[in-house]
């Protein structure tokens, strides 16, 4: 159950980072594990909370997990900072940033947990829809996302549309296919 996941995550954080998660962090992890949004104040430890939740989702078979951040800096920082915890838990962790090559992206997304900015994840998803060979995709089938700064990503960032020019030759996009069917 969630209690065991939190207990193991707490011990891994203590051993890997010499940080013992507070009860509020474990309650936040339990909320994330149950598919809810957890509001936490600045300084309450969202990064460690997300790490325990990411471990739990992978352990429960809901992986791979993408931790969506607001920018490339946070994606890299958080992945590197939490890596000792993931390593102790037997998980792999990677990150994607704007400068990542397609092969680096593929390797990062192949990890159990991938830290990536919402814009990079979104554009990778869009580009994956345009490939002519399925082996050229960089993202695995999508499973679980933990959204850091959900208010910023789901409200502020959502106002900016993501557009990737290009068309798949001889194939109608799913939206128009659905509209034609209706």
């Amino acid at each position: 159950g969630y209690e065991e996941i939190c207990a193991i995550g707490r011990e891994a954080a203590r051993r890997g980072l010499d940080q013992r998660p507070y009860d509020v962090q474990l309650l936040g992890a339990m909320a994330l594990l149950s598919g809810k949004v957890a509001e936490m104040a600045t300084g309450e430890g969202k990064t460690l909370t997300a790490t325990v939740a990411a471990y739990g989702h992978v352990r429960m078979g809901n992986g791979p997990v993408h931790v969506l951040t607001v920018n490339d800096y946070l994606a890299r920082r958080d992945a590197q900072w939490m890596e000792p915890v993931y390593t102790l838990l037997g998980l792999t962790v990677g990150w994607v940033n704007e400068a990542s090559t397609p092969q680096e992206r593929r390797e990062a997304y192949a990890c159990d947990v991938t830290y990536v900015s919402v814009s990079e994840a979104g554009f990778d998803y869009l580009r994956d829809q345009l490939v002519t060979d399925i082996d050229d995709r960089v993202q695995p089938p999508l499973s679980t996302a933990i959204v850091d700064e959900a208010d910023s990503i789901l409200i502020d960032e959502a106002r900016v549309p993501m557009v990737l020019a290009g068309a798949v030759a001889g194939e109608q996009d799913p939206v128009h296919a659905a509209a034609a069917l209706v």
Side-chain angles (χ1 to χ4, degrees):
Y2 297 162
E3 296 84 6
E4 183 179 332
I5 288 168
C6 287
I8 293 169
R10 176 182 267 178
E11 185 61 21
R14 189 190 64 75
R15 292 181 187 192
L17 301 174
D18 199 27
Q19 294 180 1
R20 186 178 186 274
Y22 294 105
D23 290 347
V24 68
Q25 291 169 299
L26 298 178
L27 289 170
M30 286 184 189
L32 295 176
L33 287 166
S34 64
K36 294 183 174 49
V37 174
E39 181 179 2
M40 298 179 73
T42 301
E44 278 191 311
K46 292 186 293 278
T47 305
L48 192 52
T49 298
T51 300
V52 173
Y55 157 67
H57 277 295
V58 172
R59 179 175 166 176
M60 293 185 307
N62 302 331
V65 174
H66 293 165
V67 180
L68 301 177
T69 65
V70 293
N71 61 47
D72 287 349
Y73 168 77
L74 289 176
R76 180 179 180 199
R77 183 201 74 179
D78 292 355
Q80 290 178 329
W81 181 17
M82 294 296 124
E83 188 171 20
V85 179
Y86 289 118
T87 299
L88 283 171
L89 294 168
L91 302 182
T92 56
V93 62
W95 74 89
V96 172
N97 63 34
E98 188 177 358
S100 298
T101 66
Q103 184 55 35
E104 289 169 337
R105 290 169 189 272
R106 205 170 285 110
E107 290 170 7
Y109 285 123
C111 292
D112 297 308
V113 180
T114 306
Y115 285 77
V116 58
S117 72
V118 68
S119 59
E120 289 301 314
F123 282 119
D124 284 339
Y125 176 81
L126 292 174
R127 280 189 292 265
D128 279 357
Q129 305 313 302
L130 298 175
V131 299
T132 56
D133 183 347
I134 199 163
D135 292 334
D136 291 336
R137 289 184 174 178
V138 296
Q139 289 183 337
L142 301 178
S143 181
T144 301
I146 294 175
V147 182
D148 187 16
E149 303 289 349
D151 54 344
S152 174
I153 289 175
L154 298 177
I155 298 170
D156 302 335
E157 294 287 329
R159 295 180 192 175
V160 181
M162 298 187 112
V163 178
L164 190 65
V168 178
E171 188 176 311
Q172 195 174 24
D173 68 276
V175 174
H176 286 89
L181 181 63
V182 171

